[in-house]
Amino acid sequence: MMAALFAARGGARVTLLERNEKLGKKIYITGKGRCNLTNACDAEAFMRHILRNPRFLYASLAALDNMGLMSLMESLGLPLKTERGERVFPASDKASDVTSTLARELERLGVEVKLNARVSRLLCEGGRARGVELEGGARLTADAVVLATGGLSYPSTGSTGDGLRMAEETGHALSAPLPALVPIETVETWPGALSGLSLRNVKLFAYVAGGKKERRIFAEQGEMLFTHFGISGPLVLTLSSLLPEDLSGVRLAIDLKPALDDGTLDARMVRDLRELSRKQLITVMDGLAPHNLALTILELAGLSPALPANALTHEQRATLRGLLKALPLTPLKLRGFSEAIITRGGVSVRDVNPSTMESKRLPGLYFAGEMLDLDATTGGFNLQIAFSTGALAGKSAAKREAGA
């Protein structure tokens, strides 16, 4: 939609082919139905949230950065609001308002929208893109083609890899598509007993074995969630995009008390044990962790919840303290594309001109959005990548048509 909008504003005659029955189907499910369309942080902070190929985005963000997007949407009649973490939403809290705002502008600009139109292949002639062929055999010729078909995440919204296949068929290199911003299954089964338990203000660590010592690849504080298969929540989703493909050498640890160093936590435990010396150990642990999690920690430590608090030994206290500061988990695998917020990997940015979004291998073909090997953390950054690359692709395609 953004590519069509900017191409039309650039004077091009534009046809938007949508394989679904309505525009912007994926937008409807973003931000839990509210559409976190961008992030209002400054440019330097924004780039820190781009996980792969951030330099490739400089020209796209120059064409339409986060402030430009906010200004554009409000100029089109969509009031916005900024919430915690600089996340930007429509003031109405309705993702559908984002889609309808863009759709109205496309209609005003005279863009022809064809719904339920699935492209089967690109048409190439004379070493350049010349249009597309639809399922059923109909052909549409064009001076420029913008591929913006998304990745593989949430295939129910139409992201089934059509564009990636067409890119590969025309000689473009692909970085292997992987689920990203996705929950993690764990080897341990005890998280299943805590399914639904949310943890706030904890710190999650990830380490990768390598050589003589392991390397820490992640350490962030925030929120996470236990599930029937393992772990999820904001911290876990971000971590999932940073994990290596081979998880065999990865271990995780949760610091349940990041505000307390080891000595301070030990002093707290000694005080609680003294004050509750006649109580059962679970009563002491309930003051340090949610009840069901406290029971799990005691089980992992091999201690009975009914043990008298005054019977706890120094060594047993050290074991409990260690679990509170570094509760161990082992990642088994990432959940699949059906649960992934975005796709990691896609069309190699080496095959795309970052100044125009045009293919280096097939003139007249442009790429935009999630099908490119670009991805970011949660918080509105991935949608901004889509809007920015779409805007630049549309602008560039219009110039191509004007000079065709």
Side-chain angles (χ1 to χ4, degrees):
M1 285 188 287
M2 195 61 77
L5 189 155
F6 273 82
R9 284 189 170 187
R13 185 163 57 89
V14 182
T15 300
L16 190 160
L17 302 172
E18 170 58 65
R19 65 168 282 181
N20 291 314
E21 73 284 358
K22 61 183 178 182
L23 290 172
K25 198 166 183 179
K26 187 170 281 189
I27 285 179
Y28 288 97
I29 62 172
T30 60
K32 296 180 180 178
R34 297 198 299 140
C35 187
N36 176 194
L37 72 163
T38 190
N39 192 285
C41 66
D42 62 44
E44 186 177 339
F46 191 97
M47 295 307 290
R48 287 199 297 269
H49 287 271
I50 309 301
L51 301 177
R52 265 161 284 277
N53 302 310
R55 292 184 179 181
F56 181 85
L57 283 170
Y58 286 144
S60 296
L61 289 169
L64 183 71
D65 64 6
N66 50 350
M67 298 303 163
L69 174 65
M70 293 166 66
S71 177
L72 170 64
M73 299 305 286
E74 291 191 315
S75 74
L76 296 177
L78 181 68
L80 303 175
K81 63 178 178 179
T82 303
E83 297 186 358
R84 180 173 56 90
E86 298 297 299
R87 296 173 301 163
V88 179
F89 296 88
S92 65
D93 281 330
K94 294 180 180 178
S96 57
D97 287 349
V98 176
T99 305
S100 59
T101 297
L102 292 172
R104 281 195 305 270
E105 180 64 1
L106 294 178
E107 183 178 12
R108 188 190 71 80
L109 291 167
V111 173
E112 182 182 4
V113 176
K114 293 181 179 289
L115 300 176
N116 298 302
R118 186 168 183 175
V119 174
S120 59
R121 68 184 184 98
L122 292 169
L123 299 177
C124 306
E125 183 182 306
R128 58 164 294 174
R130 289 292 184 181
V132 297
E133 182 176 305
L134 303 180
E135 283 189 344
R139 294 187 169 199
L140 280 73
T141 59
D143 298 310
V145 176
V146 179
L147 266 183
T149 62
L152 292 166
S153 56
Y154 288 116
S156 60
T157 63
S159 298
T160 54
D162 289 0
L164 297 177
R165 172 183 54 78
M166 285 181 262
E168 199 165 29
E169 287 173 350
T170 48
H172 296 84
L174 295 186
S175 297
L178 298 169
L181 300 182
V182 66
I184 299 173
E185 292 187 24
T186 58
V187 172
E188 296 83 0
T189 58
W190 59 258
L194 303 175
S195 183
L197 176 62
S198 180
L199 302 177
R200 295 188 175 187
N201 296 319
V202 297
K203 196 165 186 177
L204 180 62
F205 296 88
Y207 304 88
V208 176
K212 294 182 179 179
K213 64 177 184 177
E214 63 182 8
R215 176 171 54 94
R216 192 174 77 185
I217 61 169
F218 185 82
E220 284 193 20
Q221 189 166 329
E223 300 178 18
M224 60 177 292
L225 173 76
F226 290 114
T227 70
H228 66 281
F229 54 77
I231 50 176
S232 186
L235 282 177
V236 175
L237 298 183
T238 299
L239 168 62
S240 71
S241 289
L242 297 169
L243 290 173
E245 290 187 49
D246 181 4
L247 298 179
S248 60
V250 179
R251 72 175 181 91
L252 310 179
I254 307 169
D255 185 349
L256 298 169
K257 296 293 179 184
L260 305 177
D261 61 27
D262 199 58
T264 305
L265 177 58
D266 191 46
R268 159 91 179 265
M269 293 180 72
V270 169
R271 184 198 69 199
D272 291 352
L273 287 164
R274 184 172 58 246
E275 292 178 355
L276 300 169
S277 62
R278 296 179 180 275
K279 300 289 186 178
Q280 293 182 339
L281 183 55
I282 185 58
T283 304
V284 176
M285 292 301 295
D286 281 347
L288 295 167
H291 180 70
N292 286 342
L293 180 55
L295 287 172
T296 298
I297 291 171
L298 289 173
E299 184 178 351
L300 292 173
L303 294 171
S304 168
L307 181 75
N310 57 15
L312 192 72
T313 67
H314 175 81
E315 291 75 17
Q316 290 170 333
R317 189 176 82 239
T319 298
L320 291 175
R321 190 172 69 249
L323 289 170
L324 286 166
K325 292 296 290 180
L327 186 63
L329 280 170
T330 311
L332 176 63
K333 65 177 182 177
L334 303 182
R335 298 290 277 183
F337 282 111
S338 62
E339 295 178 50
I341 294 176
I342 60 163
T343 301
R344 168 179 163 184
V347 176
S348 172
V349 296
R350 295 181 180 180
D351 283 353
V352 183
N353 183 340
S355 299
T356 61
M357 305 308 296
E358 186 174 18
S359 166
K360 293 179 180 179
R361 294 181 179 271
L362 188 64
L365 177 65
Y366 299 79
F367 295 103
E370 193 179 339
M371 64 181 301
L372 287 160
D373 186 15
L374 301 165
D375 63 286
T377 65
T378 57
F381 303 98
N382 288 290
L383 268 180
Q384 181 66 55
I385 290 174
F387 288 133
S388 295
T389 54
L392 182 57
K395 281 184 177 182
S396 304
K399 290 179 181 177
R400 157 74 73 173
E401 190 209 37

